[in-house]
Amino acid sequence: MLYREALNRAIDDVMRIDPDVVVLGEDVGLYGGSYRVTEGLVAKYGERRVIDTPIAELSIVGNAVGMAIGGLRPVAEIMTANFSLLAFDQIINHMSKYRYMSAGKITLPMVVRFPQGVSRQLAAQHSESYEQMLSAVPGLTVFAANDVNYAYHALKKAVLMDDPVIFIEHELLYNKKGDVDFNAELDPFKARIVKEGEDITIVSYLKMVDDVMASVGKIEESLKRSCEVIDLCSLNPVDYDTVAKSLKKTGRLVVVEEDHKTGGYGAQIVSNVCEELFYMLDAPPLRIAGEDVPIPYNRTLELLSIPTPDKIAEKITEWGRRNGL
């Protein structure tokens, strides 16, 4: 099953069991979504439950907030994270705060989904990542799906939660293949051990997990050490217990992220580890992130602006040698 098919199946399954689940966004109905995630749903559930909206992101999320207050379970799709900036007032000032400001009298069972990240020559205005801003907003749960099985189960559970969820996808993962265990009881808040190892803990999320996995062979061959790779899955809250258990074995932390390094999400992971797990560390943590530049259109420059498997392998190997590996 493809990543986008797993997301489609998750929405289909919850729409079938709960008539209060509705989908809204630009081209989600007749067109089936920009990345075909909502393909076929309007034929099954009709235009009252799969709603094509105008190109108006603030209105999409604002309407979803109103629907959630009124008792529905809306799943709002924003075409890309870059356009979500137009909806940040609704996300930050309304979606995240109504439960708290109403002393729990109002719940918002709603999901806002969008893809983000560097795709292929979409240039600066269509290649951003905003997990660092959204994960810093109290009241929002933030999931980031790399794995096909996780994408299915986490989205399904997100829609059935009674609190608002930001569900982040990556534009280059929609055609990723994987198996889905439909009978599994997956906890969407728990980090995923992608590969076990003994000497280096590499923490990542979204597409960078795949780039890390593509680099691990070179790292292990160069350093003659093994890497443990963790997919965070939930960016807020973070499963620090899984990170701590890994660091207890390895004593060395690397965080790999695609967004810009200054103010990037990985800084929060490193900060928490230094504050809470400092005495587990045998070396200073390493952060590998995107450059602090708008993402270029030129393909050569675009690849220079983000981590790639070769760069990840080179930087971890160099860091490992400097720190006794």
Side-chain angles (χ1 to χ4, degrees):
M1 178 174 278
L2 301 178
Y3 180 90
R4 62 176 167 78
E5 293 172 335
L7 295 169
N8 177 283
R9 174 70 181 269
I11 298 170
D12 191 0
D13 284 355
V14 288
M15 291 189 82
R16 188 171 59 253
I17 63 175
D18 187 344
D20 289 333
V21 176
V22 297
V23 174
L24 70 159
E26 299 162 22
D27 293 331
V28 298
L30 296 177
Y31 190 71
S34 298
Y35 297 93
R36 300 173 63 189
V37 170
T38 54
E39 191 172 50
L41 296 180
V42 72
K44 281 188 178 180
Y45 302 105
E47 294 182 1
R48 287 179 62 84
R49 294 184 65 194
V50 183
I51 305 164
D52 278 324
T53 68
I55 303 173
E57 286 75 14
L58 182 69
S59 169
I60 293 169
V61 179
N63 276 295
V65 168
M67 288 173 173
I69 291 172
L72 298 177
R73 289 186 180 275
V75 182
E77 177 178 303
I78 304 294
M79 199 173 284
T80 88
N82 307 276
F83 303 161
S84 73
L85 292 173
L86 296 163
F88 263 36
D89 177 56
Q90 283 295 332
I91 292 172
I92 294 173
N93 277 327
H94 302 266
M95 179 177 164
S96 72
K97 293 184 170 61
Y98 278 168
R99 176 188 275 276
Y100 297 89
M101 294 180 71
S102 68
K105 293 175 184 173
I106 295 175
T107 57
L108 277 90
M110 62 178 289
V111 176
V112 174
R113 302 177 33 247
F114 53 73
Q116 70 167 30
V118 177
S119 181
R120 190 178 178 88
Q121 292 186 275
L122 294 182
Q125 294 171 318
H126 293 75
S127 303
E128 285 290 345
S129 299
Y130 293 133
E131 69 274 20
Q132 72 291 78
M133 290 196 282
L134 292 164
S135 298
V137 179
L140 292 180
T141 293
V142 180
F143 293 151
N146 163 271
D147 177 58
V148 175
N149 188 53
Y150 180 83
Y152 170 77
H153 287 285
L155 180 56
K156 193 173 172 182
K157 294 201 174 183
V159 177
L160 297 176
M161 286 169 57
D162 286 335
D163 286 305
V165 177
I166 299 292
F167 196 92
I168 303 177
E169 300 150 20
H170 194 287
E171 293 178 9
L172 291 182
L173 292 177
Y174 286 113
N175 288 323
K176 177 178 178 179
K177 292 181 180 177
D179 296 325
V180 176
D181 180 356
F182 293 104
N183 297 316
E185 281 299 322
L186 184 145
D187 178 357
F189 294 97
K190 190 167 178 54
R192 187 170 65 95
I193 306 289
V194 184
K195 175 188 175 300
E196 293 188 353
E198 301 294 327
D199 303 300
I200 302 172
T201 297
I202 307 177
V203 172
S204 193
Y205 54 93
L206 285 174
K207 177 180 173 289
M208 283 294 109
V209 174
D210 294 344
D211 286 9
V212 167
M213 289 301 294
S215 72
V216 159
K218 283 186 181 177
I219 298 166
E220 294 186 337
E221 184 179 351
S222 299
L223 295 175
K224 308 300 181 194
R225 303 294 181 119
S226 66
C227 302
E228 182 148 296
V229 179
I230 296 175
D231 174 10
L232 283 177
C233 297
S234 175
L235 304 186
N236 187 25
V238 175
D239 176 12
Y240 283 113
D241 288 343
T242 294
V243 177
K245 284 177 186 172
S246 181
L247 282 177
K248 193 172 182 180
K249 282 193 300 182
T250 68
R252 292 173 174 82
L253 173 68
V254 177
V255 181
V256 182
E257 58 194 305
E258 189 177 88
D259 62 333
H260 311 298
K261 187 165 188 177
T262 299
Y265 178 80
Q268 177 59 36
I269 303 300
V270 171
S271 171
N272 183 279
V273 167
C274 288
E275 289 174 8
E276 305 294 335
L277 307 171
F278 182 77
Y279 292 105
M280 288 186 185
L281 295 174
D282 294 329
L286 171 66
R287 276 184 68 209
I288 301 174
E291 301 295 330
D292 291 327
V293 297
I295 303 300
Y297 172 78
N298 177 282
R299 182 61 175 162
T300 301
L301 296 177
E302 184 182 59
L303 289 173
L304 286 172
S305 73
I306 56 172
T308 61
D310 285 344
K311 282 195 274 185
I312 293 167
E314 183 183 336
K315 290 187 177 185
I316 293 178
T317 301
E318 181 188 353
W319 166 84
R321 286 176 176 152
R322 283 203 318 269
N323 291 283
L325 290 178

